[in-house]
Amino acid sequence: MDHHDLVRVSKRISLALRHRPDRFGLVLDRAGWVPVTDLLAALGIGRAELDAVVAGNDKQRFVVVRGADDVDRIRASQGHSVPVELGLAPAVPPDRLYHGTSERVLPAIRADGLHRGRRHHVHLSPDVATARRVGARRGGAVVVLTVDAAAMAGAGHLFFRSDNGVWLTDTVPPRYLTA
């Protein structure tokens, strides 16, 4: 599988597991899991293609586990716009986290902070390089915001860490952000 094919299949898997399982005839369980065989049939791909996408995804967007029933299951690590309960426990974040975004939305973020939009949480990166890559997806000039996660946690904001290391929280008020 070349890079273009990996990206194309990864986007289809993301759509199926994060946003539109109904479009593919899939039913996610409460925690977002679906049998691998169901996903393969719904997308018309083989196990080797799926394994290549899971292994080759730089952000480790997907997790595959074998259940007690010997059935392999897959879910997206985070980023769902459909109702799921990932079962993540609150975690103490590092003092600083980062959020990459486009310069064109900076005035709105400075005024209102970061909000989850259609997703379950705001996504924050543990390092500047990752935040810069995330921000670059939006096009235009990239701005990396620093989040004072220690102060937020001290004020009672909850943080969660997904399976792939992305930090999640409900909102980031503007007073905790610096550009």
Side-chain angles (χ1 to χ4, degrees):
M1 240 180 157
D2 68 17
H3 178 72
H4 175 75
D5 289 335
L6 281 173
V7 170
R8 182 183 51 78
V9 173
S10 178
K11 286 182 177 185
R12 288 187 67 222
I13 295 171
S14 287
L15 183 63
L17 297 179
R18 294 167 71 181
H19 308 296
R20 295 295 311 272
D22 58 314
R23 181 173 170 185
F24 297 91
L26 295 171
V27 177
L28 307 180
D29 72 10
R30 246 182 98 235
W33 297 101
V34 65
V36 166
T37 54
D38 292 359
L39 180 69
L40 297 176
L43 297 182
I45 62 173
R47 181 64 191 250
E49 288 174 285
L50 176 68
D51 290 344
V53 168
V54 170
N57 191 282
D58 63 337
K59 294 184 183 170
Q60 300 173 337
R61 284 190 174 100
F62 314 109
V63 178
V64 176
V65 298
R66 175 153 301 207
D69 56 1
D70 267 349
V71 173
D72 285 349
R73 299 181 191 290
I74 186 169
R75 79 172 178 186
S77 296
Q78 85 281 323
H80 299 82
S81 60
V82 297
V84 295
E85 178 51 56
L86 296 176
L88 302 174
V92 176
D95 289 349
R96 302 276 179 263
L97 290 168
Y98 305 92
H99 183 81
T101 192
S102 169
E103 186 177 58
R104 73 179 180 280
V105 298
L106 195 54
I109 292 172
R110 282 192 170 131
D112 300 324
L114 296 172
H115 298 278
R116 62 189 177 100
R118 295 185 313 262
R119 294 185 176 188
H120 290 245
H121 296 98
V122 172
H123 295 191
L124 302 172
S125 301
D127 58 77
V128 173
T130 301
R132 188 169 307 288
R133 277 196 316 273
V134 170
R137 294 183 316 174
R138 305 196 189 317
V142 175
V143 175
V144 175
L145 302 170
T146 300
V147 176
D148 188 347
M152 282 183 65
H157 292 266
L158 294 179
F159 288 84
F160 306 89
R161 190 170 183 268
S162 68
D163 292 335
N164 62 347
V166 174
W167 285 90
L168 310 170
T169 192
D170 288 336
T171 186
V172 180
R175 68 182 167 275
Y176 299 109
L177 293 167
T178 54

